[in-house]
Structure formats: C-alpha cells, structure tokens
Amino acid sequence: MSQKAHAAMTQFSIKDGELAIANKTVSELVQIAGQTPCYIYDRNVIAHNIEQLREHFPRVSLHYAIKANPYQPLVSFVANLVDGLDVASGKELRTALATSISADDISFAGPGKSSTELLMAIASGVTINVESKTELERIITLAQANNTSANVALRLNPDFELKSSGMKMGGGSQQFGIDIEQLDPIFELLKADGVSFKGLHIFTGSQNLNPQSLISAHDNIFALVQRLQQQYSFVLEHLNIGGGFGIPYFAGEQVLDLEPIAENLNSLFDQYKELVQDCEVILELGRYIVGNSGIYVSQITDKKVSRGQTYLITNGGLHHHLAASGNFGQVIRKNYPVDVANKMISNDKEIVNVVGPLCTPLDILASKMELPVADIGDYIVVYQSGAYGFTASPRDFLSHAHPVELML
Amino acid sequence: MSQKAHAAMTQFSIKDGELAIANKTVSELVQIAGQTPCYIYDRNVIAHNIEQLREHFPRVSLHYAIKANPYQPLVSFVANLVDGLDVASGKELRTALATSISADDISFAGPGKSSTELLMAIASGVTINVESKTELERIITLAQANNTSANVALRLNPDFELKSSGMKMGGGSQQFGIDIEQLDPIFELLKADGVSFKGLHIFTGSQNLNPQSLISAHDNIFALVQRLQQQYSFVLEHLNIGGGFGIPYFAGEQVLDLEPIAENLNSLFDQYKELVQDCEVILELGRYIVGNSGIYVSQITDKKVSRGQTYLITNGGLHHHLAASGNFGQVIRKNYPVDVANKMISNDKEIVNVVGPLCTPLDILASKMELPVADIGDYIVVYQSGAYGFTASPRDFLSHAHPVELML
C-alpha cells in the first residue's frame, strides 16, 4: 500500500535523499519550523492547484472555503489567487475580511448561525447563505433594526444527491439548506425590506473522486435552477454550485480527472446560455485547493518490538492529526500516505506500526505499513495534510505541546 | 432509548422542571457560566463516586488519571480526595505538582515521553512508568548526568488481556509497556546508578462494564506479579493494577457493579498476603471518577423540518464534544444520553435529530431520539460528559467560540 501511495505524492521533490519543500530538506524544514511536530504547507503546490483549475474552468469563479485550512498566511496567499472566500463562523469571517477579497465576494454558510454572526455578516456586507426560513426572518429583523439591507443567497437542499461522495450534504432529509419544496414562503419573505436576494447555493457533498457523479450533480443543479427560475422568476447574480472535488488519501484512490467535469460544465454553459449570461457561476473548493499542499512531520522518539510487531513511537499523533489516525468520520480505519521523510531513497524496508505518545490505542498514524527502516530521531511524514488537519484535531488531548504551522 | 438513558442519570436533581446542579437550574447555571456552550461539573457527584470507591476498596490506594479531565479546579478538588495522580504529559505533570498531592504519589505514564518530559519527572521526583528498554536507558543517562536518581516503575504488557473492554491496552502486541518476556535486560539495567525501582504498572484496558472481566484481569495480575517476583526477587513499593472501570453511555448499558470486584480483590489480598503486606496496591481511575459528574450544555439556535425529519440545530456540537458526535473511536455511532435540560418534566415529545452548527454531516449530538418538544432558546444537555470531553475535542474546527468550563 505505502509504495503506491508515495508514488502519487509527486507534488514534492526529493533532495539529498530527503523529502523537500521549497528546495529545503525535511531536516532543514524542521529547523525553520523550530520544532516537531509541525505542519508545513507548500505555496507552490497551492498555486499549481489553482492554475490547473483556472485552465479547466475559465468561465467559472473560484472560491476558497476557509474551513479546510484557516491558517491566516495561507488564506491570505490563496485570497490573491481566487475570486472569493466562503466562511463558516464569525472568526472565519474576520479572517476573510483581512484579505484582499472584497466583502462582495465573501459568503457565509452554515446551519445555526448566531445573531451575533448574522449581524457581523450584515454589517460587513458579505452574502449570507440562508439555511432556513427562521434564519431568513432573523436576518430581516436584524437588518431592519439597523436600517440596512442584508445580502442573501439561498442554500438549497435539492431533490437529488451527489453519488459516491465521502459525505453527502444534499438530497433527502438534511440539516443543511432549505428543501426546494419549501421555497414558496421564502420567496415571499424575500420581498421584504432589509434583504437583497443575490443568488443560490447548492452544495451536495464533499470528497468525491468520481467525475461522473460530479457531472451528474452539475447537470441536476442547472436543470433545477432553470426550473426554479421559471417558477419564481428571480434574477441571479451568482450561482454557487458547491465543490465536492476529492483528493486521494487511501490505497487505490486516483487523482480526480478534471477534464470530463470541465467539458460537461462547458456544455452546460452553452445549454443554459440565458441562465448564466449575467450570472457568476462559482465553484467553492477547500480541500481540493490546499489538501495535497500540506505535510505533517513528527519525529520518532522510541522504537520497540512487541510480540512480533514493530512500533515506531513518534512525538505526534491523533491529537494533532485526528483524520490520519482514522478517527474522523471513517468507518474502517485506513492508512493515510506516510513515509520516513529523511530516508526517501532506501531499499531497506520493514513492516511497522507508527503510533503517537498518547495513552490510547486509537493513537495510530500507520498500521502495518512497509516503510524504510527507521530509528529514533528520524522524521515521519503524513502527506495530504493541508486540509482538515491542524484545526480539525483535539490538540489539548493529554495536554501535549501543540504542533506549529509553516508555509513556504 | 433516550428515556431509559435519562432514567439512569440519577446523579442530578430536577428543580422547577429543569435539570439542576448544586441546587441551580440549568437556566441559572448558564447565567453563571456566562455563555452556552458550556461544560459543567458537579463536585458532589465526584465526591460521591470517590466515597463509593473508598467503601468498596478500603485496602487499595486511589489514583486519579488527569487525562480524563485536566480542568485545574477539578484536579485540585479530586486531589484532596484521592491518594495520588497519574499524568501523561509534561503539562499534566505541572498540573499535578500544583495540587496537594506529593511527588511521591504522582506517576508519569505514556509511550514516547520526550527527554524534556523525562527530566521534568526526574527533577520533580515523581515515578516514571517505563514503557521500553530504550526509555529506561535514556532515564538512567539523564539521571546520571544530573547526579540524581530517577524513581521508576515498569509498565508491563502482560500475556493476558482485559476482556470486553472498550479499548484493549494490554496483552498481545502493544505499543504500551514492556512485554513480560523481555524483562531480563530490564532488571539488569535497574541495577545501575541513577535509577530506583519502585513498582509495577499493569494497565490492560479501559471503559469496561463487565465485573467478571475485571475480576479475571485482577486474578491474572496478582498471579503474574507473584511469578515475576519469584523470577526476579524484587521488592515492590507499589503495584498499580490500572483501572478500566467503565461508565454507561449507551442504551442498555448498566452502572458497573463494584461489589463482586471488591470481594475478589479482598480475596486476592488474603491470598497474596506476603506480596501486598509492604506494597501499596493502586487503582488508577479517570473516567470512573469524573465521567458522570459532567454535562455539556448547548442552546437551540434553529429548528427545521426537512422531508419528514425534525432538526434541532444547536450552538454546540462535534467541535466541543467529539465523543458524543460518535467520532472518537466508535465503529458504529450510538447516541449519548441527551435531553432538553429546561423541559425535564414534559409529556409532549417528538423524534428529533440534534445537530451542531458545523458544515459537516458528522456534526450530530443525537440521531432520531425521542425528546421533549423543544424550541429555539431551549437547552440541550449531553450527560456523561465529565471525561474526555472538552480536551478531547477539536475546538478550533471551523473557528467557532470555545465552550467554557465550570465546576460547582
């Protein structure tokens, strides 16, 4: 398993037998970070990802979903390369407002936004992706009380789902968005003072590696929007068709082929010419933009053999990288791509378990994986760690030191 | 499911129809905490748990494992009622040293302790539970270099396991402890200057609700220790037999019956009279002491019906209470005990999903649970939240405000 996965990690180079980012070996990277464990993000990989998206989707606006990685230097870097940002909390909104992106191109999504958060969004002029009738009523009340107007888009829960998704977030019964059967009173409310209708947001799932599923979702989205436009005669300034583009984590998974998705979107732009001519179509991506740009580096503190199995014990683990430990929405634990970062060219291999320092058997970074023979002091790298790593982990669990973050 | 689970939450009272702690209703508790979401711990429940343990296990010393809940006021309170503390990191060691417990009664366990942490332990005089030969060598080197002596106990990986455990941490191949077949070189090393052998630590699993499994583990531990004593002729100052006492979380689980465990330990004390006469036998418990003392309170921010299912959306969720969301080592998601804390006496019920504010379908606090009919502003309580809650959760995920903690 490991060898195949590593072979796919072609976004990074090897220097002096070590994994390298920005022409620095992992040993140098750790010196620059000042410690292990650390998360290191490669800005060139991010830029390359966005370039690829631009090439394939020239007619579409690109938004970055900050929740994937809210590290401020990274958000500021990405902001200079994309057309907008999506935020999921008041703090993420502050992060977004601090970048080069204008409030017009920031949207705020998420069920259960607080009144404080709604007021932050109204006052700053960003677009609120409305998740329920109650929320819309609250927005109107707040805007009217402040003699202003709120920019809103409707997050729809469609009557179809995104097949083969890591996580389904549209179709069927959902906590997200407004069921399309419940739109009559919503469009009535949108006639009120204090609210300005800007567009629609249809997000159906995430971490999808199947182009046909994404194509089918896009087909369904455009057909649905046209149907709704005929029904409610609205003018759309923008249409956010979500993201859902996956990246490969596990053995056998392949990089998503953008080509057929791009071709299909092109056809849809032609087919729905009137719909899109004055409407900005937005792809909102998080993981796909930053996921493969990041590595998590820990250091081996002990090595032991217990009843036939070898354990590499590192100073990092579940508390820093919950997803890699297999405890973040995974039903069956599978290994993330892992390697010994300072022994990238090695023919001497062995089967090992890589574990962390916590007093729990859940603290696993790699289970029965073939890796270069490693010793105390060597660096263990977990690839595909640029999204849902640092902030999606219980960093205070057992009160160990937190990892640091670095972007080069 | 929910009604049975609530019926078991007899550690708290009801006042004016609301859940109450320290004679304050949940509405008052939230005012005192200053916000929702919050974790609230009931010191009387903790004291009662310890009292029960004292009654059942008068010949055993009680240690508290800080990792279960390191909230400093709680640790200080528990420290006044137990005989010792167990720590799992340098920061937990500082927490322990700040209490009334003396260094003699503090032990430091965990694979992959750093040299800095080992030196903290040596300099402060606490007992280090040694997890490998390499670690013992490192301890001796550090102690000798500092012209001092380290207190050590050996954490053993026995040749049996704790059956029916939530998590197995002994027996078979393990990252924890030293296989008992590998002890010859360890006892050789223990003759060196710079190290003082204090005892043994045998921890075989956690979250066990089956008295017979615990009884069988205790039987095995005493037999093993006697066998090893005959083989290596050591003098034991203490024997830490671990913990593993579980608490009920899910439908159908019962409170652990301490009686048969206590009876069996009494018999073992008689049977192994010579072994225990000058040896302190220690039960190390974390979750069992504090788990049922804590509640997690969030507030409903929205309520919606989507295609036949009702959703209560709260301002708390997975990011504050990972275990309750079902994403912490659970293979199949089951509901924690949940209720509407300000509507404890209500005959008007409905089946709902309780979800958090995050943009992920993993953010669930209760799935299809029968609860009192609730509205925006009502309080949702998650019981059994005193252990592995606040610190075991990815609190920065989506950058929402952190919960606060309060002990009354």
Side-chain angles (χ1 to χ4, degrees):
Chain A
M1 133 75 205
S2 66
Q3 295 321 299
K4 270 194 189 168
H6 301 162
M9 302 301 115
T10 52
Q11 68 271 41
F12 304 118
S13 54
I14 292 175
K15 184 183 173 186
D16 303 335
E18 297 195 12
L19 179 70
I21 286 179
N23 206 31
K24 305 281 186 189
T25 64
V26 73
S27 300
E28 292 167 332
L29 291 169
V30 167
Q31 287 174 351
I32 297 168
Q35 71 164 68
T36 58
C38 51
Y39 277 93
I40 303 173
Y41 313 116
D42 184 339
R43 75 177 80 202
N44 286 330
V45 172
I46 296 171
H48 176 76
N49 292 339
I50 295 171
E51 207 175 293
Q52 291 287 307
L53 289 164
R54 292 294 192 192
E55 274 176 28
H56 284 90
F57 304 104
R59 297 158 86 173
V60 164
S61 290
L62 285 183
H63 278 211
Y64 173 61
I66 291 183
K67 59 178 170 287
N69 189 330
Y71 180 51
Q72 179 82 57
L74 180 147
V75 174
S76 297
F77 177 77
V78 171
N80 288 329
L81 302 174
V82 296
D83 307 302
L85 296 169
D86 184 69
V87 305
S89 66
K91 189 173 171 189
E92 285 190 6
L93 176 56
R94 288 193 294 271
T95 299
L97 291 169
T99 68
S100 55
I101 298 287
S102 81
D104 284 347
D105 296 313
I106 296 171
S107 59
F108 187 167
K113 294 186 267 303
S114 70
S115 293
T116 302
E117 287 174 323
L118 291 174
L119 201 48
M120 290 170 72
I122 294 166
S124 60
V126 306
T127 299
I128 304 169
N129 291 343
V130 178
E131 306 262 355
S132 76
K133 179 165 169 279
T134 333
E135 188 171 81
L136 182 55
E137 289 166 343
R138 194 181 300 148
I139 290 165
I140 292 170
T141 303
L142 284 167
Q144 288 177 349
N146 288 276
N147 292 313
T148 184
S149 180
N151 296 325
V152 302
L154 300 180
R155 180 169 180 177
L156 302 184
N157 180 28
D159 50 1
F160 55 86
E161 58 183 34
L162 175 55
K163 285 181 185 134
S164 324
S165 271
M167 292 179 192
K168 285 192 177 48
M169 298 170 73
S173 175
Q174 287 288 341
Q175 68 222 59
F176 308 106
I178 302 165
D179 294 355
I180 55 165
E181 309 89 275
Q182 300 185 18
L183 287 176
D184 285 2
I186 300 292
F187 278 102
E188 275 307 307
L189 275 172
L190 286 173
K191 296 174 185 166
D193 285 340
V195 68
S196 172
F197 175 69
K198 296 292 178 182
L200 296 174
H201 181 207
I202 304 174
F203 186 72
T204 50
S206 74
Q207 180 48 22
N208 199 305
L209 288 169
N210 184 336
Q212 284 311 315
S213 301
L214 290 159
I215 285 171
S216 161
H218 292 164
D219 288 347
N220 286 328
I221 287 171
F222 278 83
L224 171 64
V225 172
Q226 187 167 64
R227 182 156 52 96
L228 292 175
Q229 199 169 37
Q230 282 157 1
Q231 194 174 346
Y232 296 106
S233 333
F234 48 69
V235 176
L236 280 190
E237 287 186 23
H238 71 252
L239 169 62
N240 182 330
I241 62 173
F245 292 14
I247 65 171
Y249 288 103
F250 308 120
E253 292 184 344
Q254 300 297 321
V255 171
L256 181 67
D257 185 2
L258 297 182
E259 199 60 42
I261 303 166
E263 274 174 29
N264 183 66
L265 260 185
N266 255 332
S267 307
L268 290 170
F269 269 72
D270 295 338
Q271 188 184 341
Y272 295 93
K273 203 178 286 180
E274 282 184 36
L275 182 71
V276 298
Q277 66 184 4
D278 294 312
C279 170
E280 183 185 12
V281 177
I282 298 167
L283 260 179
E284 179 190 320
L285 299 165
R287 186 197 313 266
Y288 191 83
I289 290 176
V290 298
N292 72 339
S293 79
I295 59 173
Y296 171 66
V297 181
S298 64
Q299 199 162 7
I300 299 173
T301 54
D302 204 353
K303 180 176 183 172
K304 68 205 253 187
V305 177
S306 168
R307 294 177 188 142
Q309 288 196 49
T310 299
Y311 293 84
L312 303 178
I313 298 161
T314 76
N315 60 356
L318 170 156
H319 51 320
H320 297 165
H321 201 331
L322 187 64
S325 79
N327 287 290
F328 203 50
Q330 298 164 32
V331 177
I332 298 165
R333 191 195 177 283
K334 290 185 267 192
N335 286 329
Y336 263 48
V338 166
D339 211 334
V340 182
N342 58 323
K343 292 185 171 168
M344 296 295 287
I345 301 167
S346 170
N347 292 318
D348 197 11
K349 312 237 178 198
E350 63 182 340
I351 307 280
V352 297
N353 300 289
V354 182
V355 302
L358 307 189
C359 296
T360 165
L362 301 176
D363 193 12
I364 302 169
L365 290 178
S367 176
K368 295 181 184 167
M369 190 184 253
E370 189 183 64
L371 289 181
V373 173
D375 293 308
I376 293 172
D378 284 338
Y379 298 111
I380 295 291
V381 59
V382 181
Y383 294 103
Q384 307 295 76
S385 299
Y388 304 115
F390 184 88
T391 55
S393 300
R395 297 197 307 276
D396 286 332
F397 187 44
L398 270 60
S399 306
H400 283 281
H402 288 198
V404 295
E405 294 178 286
L406 174 70
M407 184 174 74
L408 287 179
Chain B
M1 132 79 206
S2 65
Q3 296 321 298
K4 269 195 188 168
H6 302 162
M9 302 301 115
T10 53
Q11 68 271 40
F12 303 118
S13 53
I14 292 175
K15 185 184 172 187
D16 303 336
E18 297 196 13
L19 179 70
I21 285 179
N23 206 31
K24 304 281 187 190
T25 64
V26 73
S27 301
E28 293 167 332
L29 291 169
V30 167
Q31 288 174 351
I32 297 168
Q35 70 164 67
T36 58
C38 52
Y39 277 94
I40 303 173
Y41 313 116
D42 184 338
R43 75 179 79 204
N44 286 330
V45 173
I46 297 172
H48 176 77
N49 291 339
I50 295 171
E51 208 176 292
Q52 292 287 307
L53 288 164
R54 293 294 193 193
E55 275 176 29
H56 284 90
F57 305 103
R59 297 158 86 173
V60 165
S61 291
L62 284 182
H63 278 211
Y64 173 61
I66 291 181
K67 60 178 169 284
N69 189 330
Y71 180 51
Q72 180 82 56
L74 180 148
V75 174
S76 298
F77 177 76
V78 171
N80 288 329
L81 302 175
V82 297
D83 306 302
L85 296 169
D86 183 69
V87 304
S89 66
K91 188 173 172 189
E92 285 191 7
L93 175 56
R94 288 193 295 270
T95 298
L97 291 168
T99 70
S100 55
I101 298 288
S102 81
D104 285 347
D105 296 312
I106 297 171
S107 59
F108 188 168
K113 293 186 265 307
S114 70
S115 293
T116 303
E117 287 174 323
L118 291 173
L119 200 49
M120 290 170 73
I122 293 166
S124 60
V126 306
T127 299
I128 304 169
N129 291 343
V130 177
E131 306 262 354
S132 76
K133 179 164 169 281
T134 333
E135 186 171 84
L136 183 54
E137 289 165 344
R138 193 182 300 151
I139 290 165
I140 292 170
T141 304
L142 284 167
Q144 288 177 350
N146 288 276
N147 292 313
T148 184
S149 180
N151 296 324
V152 302
L154 301 178
R155 179 170 181 176
L156 302 183
N157 180 26
D159 49 2
F160 55 87
E161 59 184 33
L162 176 53
K163 284 177 187 138
S164 326
S165 272
M167 292 180 193
K168 286 192 174 48
M169 298 171 72
S173 173
Q174 287 288 343
Q175 67 222 60
F176 307 107
I178 302 165
D179 293 354
I180 55 165
E181 309 89 273
Q182 299 186 18
L183 288 175
D184 285 3
I186 300 291
F187 278 103
E188 275 307 307
L189 275 172
L190 286 173
K191 294 174 185 165
D193 286 341
V195 68
S196 173
F197 175 70
K198 296 292 177 182
L200 297 175
H201 180 206
I202 304 175
F203 186 72
T204 49
S206 75
Q207 180 48 21
N208 199 305
L209 288 169
N210 184 337
Q212 284 311 314
S213 300
L214 290 158
I215 285 171
S216 160
H218 293 163
D219 288 347
N220 285 328
I221 287 172
F222 277 84
L224 171 64
V225 172
Q226 187 167 65
R227 182 154 56 94
L228 292 175
Q229 198 170 40
Q230 283 157 3
Q231 194 176 344
Y232 296 106
S233 331
F234 48 68
V235 176
L236 280 190
E237 287 186 23
H238 71 251
L239 169 62
N240 183 330
I241 61 173
F245 292 15
I247 66 171
Y249 287 103
F250 307 120
E253 291 184 344
Q254 300 297 320
V255 170
L256 181 68
D257 185 2
L258 297 180
E259 200 59 43
I261 303 167
E263 274 175 27
N264 182 66
L265 260 185
N266 255 333
S267 309
L268 290 170
F269 269 73
D270 295 339
Q271 188 184 341
Y272 295 93
K273 201 178 289 181
E274 283 185 35
L275 182 71
V276 298
Q277 68 185 1
D278 295 312
C279 171
E280 183 185 12
V281 177
I282 298 167
L283 261 180
E284 178 188 320
L285 299 165
R287 186 196 313 264
Y288 190 83
I289 290 176
V290 298
N292 71 340
S293 78
I295 59 173
Y296 170 67
V297 181
S298 63
Q299 200 162 7
I300 299 173
T301 53
D302 204 352
K303 179 175 183 172
K304 67 205 250 188
V305 177
S306 167
R307 295 177 187 144
Q309 288 196 48
T310 299
Y311 294 84
L312 303 177
I313 297 161
T314 76
N315 60 356
L318 170 155
H319 50 319
H320 298 165
H321 201 329
L322 187 64
S325 79
N327 287 290
F328 203 50
Q330 298 164 33
V331 177
I332 297 166
R333 192 193 177 281
K334 290 185 268 191
N335 286 329
Y336 263 49
V338 166
D339 212 335
V340 182
N342 57 323
K343 291 186 172 168
M344 296 295 288
I345 301 168
S346 169
N347 291 320
D348 197 10
K349 312 234 179 201
E350 63 181 339
I351 308 281
V352 297
N353 300 288
V354 182
V355 302
L358 306 189
C359 295
T360 165
L362 301 175
D363 193 14
I364 302 168
L365 290 177
S367 176
K368 295 179 186 170
M369 190 183 253
E370 190 183 64
L371 289 181
V373 173
D375 293 308
I376 293 172
D378 284 337
Y379 298 112
I380 295 291
V381 59
V382 181
Y383 295 103
Q384 306 296 75
S385 300
Y388 304 115
F390 184 88
T391 56
S393 299
R395 298 197 308 276
D396 286 332
F397 187 44
L398 269 59
S399 306
H400 282 281
H402 289 198
V404 296
E405 294 178 287
L406 173 71
M407 185 174 72
L408 287 179

